[in-house]
């Protein structure tokens, strides 16, 4: 079982309902298509921070890596970064992602709860 998060580069929506709409638009445009737009610089910094703490999944870290897809950068396109993590590790990882996104002025959205984080 996995837990998903979305992080994107842009202005923070004023309410969860606006975030849900924007998430849907960004997801359709960047994740559901074959677009290969390179990640924005802030998204790249976010991913670099995450893989510094938890390196990409490998045979050597199967029990300690939270990511369900590797390399993590493969989940980023343009201003959008949508990724999954191991559900059992989600509490710690989500808290770190929220902190990292906030520090980099990125938006963090939880599609399970339909809320800004």
């Amino acid at each position: 079982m996995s837990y998903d998060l979305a992080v994107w580069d842009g202005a923070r929506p004023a309410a969860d309902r606006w975030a849900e709409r924007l998430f849907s638009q960004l997801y359709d445009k960047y994740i559901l298509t074959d677009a290969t737009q390179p990640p924005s610089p802030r998204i790249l910094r976010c991913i670099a921070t995450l893989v510094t703490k938890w390196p990409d999944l490998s045979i050597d870290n199967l029990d300690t890596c939270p990511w369900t897809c590797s390399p993590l950068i493969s989940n980023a396109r343009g201003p959008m970064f949508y990724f999954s993590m191991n559900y059992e590790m989600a509490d710690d990882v989500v808290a770190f992602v929220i902190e990292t996104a906030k520090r980099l002025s990125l938006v963090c959205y939880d599609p399970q709860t339909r809320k800004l984080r």
Side-chain angles (χ1 to χ4, degrees):
M1 189 165 180
S2 65
Y3 194 93
D4 299 351
L5 276 181
V7 175
W8 66 79
D9 196 347
R12 184 174 174 85
D16 292 332
R17 69 178 186 267
W18 299 114
E20 183 176 10
R21 288 181 187 166
L22 185 54
F23 163 73
S24 182
Q25 291 169 357
L26 290 168
Y27 186 86
D28 290 350
K29 182 175 182 177
Y30 293 101
I31 305 303
L32 287 183
T33 67
D34 289 335
T36 56
Q37 185 174 2
S40 74
R42 284 194 284 189
I43 292 293
L44 288 173
R45 284 195 300 276
C46 179
I47 295 168
T49 301
L50 298 180
V51 297
T52 297
K53 184 161 180 81
W54 293 288
D56 281 320
L57 185 61
S58 74
I59 195 73
D60 297 326
N61 66 358
L62 291 174
D63 295 332
T64 59
C65 180
W67 317 125
T68 60
C69 181
S70 219
L72 200 56
I73 191 73
S74 68
N75 298 293
R77 291 179 190 88
M80 180 81 171
F81 175 41
Y82 183 78
F83 58 105
S84 299
M85 65 197 78
N86 182 315
Y87 190 81
E88 288 78 29
M89 298 180 77
D91 287 342
D92 291 336
V93 177
V94 169
F96 188 74
V97 171
I98 292 168
E99 173 187 312
T100 301
K102 187 178 289 187
R103 190 173 61 251
L104 295 171
S105 299
L106 296 168
V107 177
C108 186
Y109 177 76
D110 184 332
Q112 281 88 196
T113 62
R114 298 179 173 167
K115 297 199 181 290
L116 286 163
R117 299 299 304 260

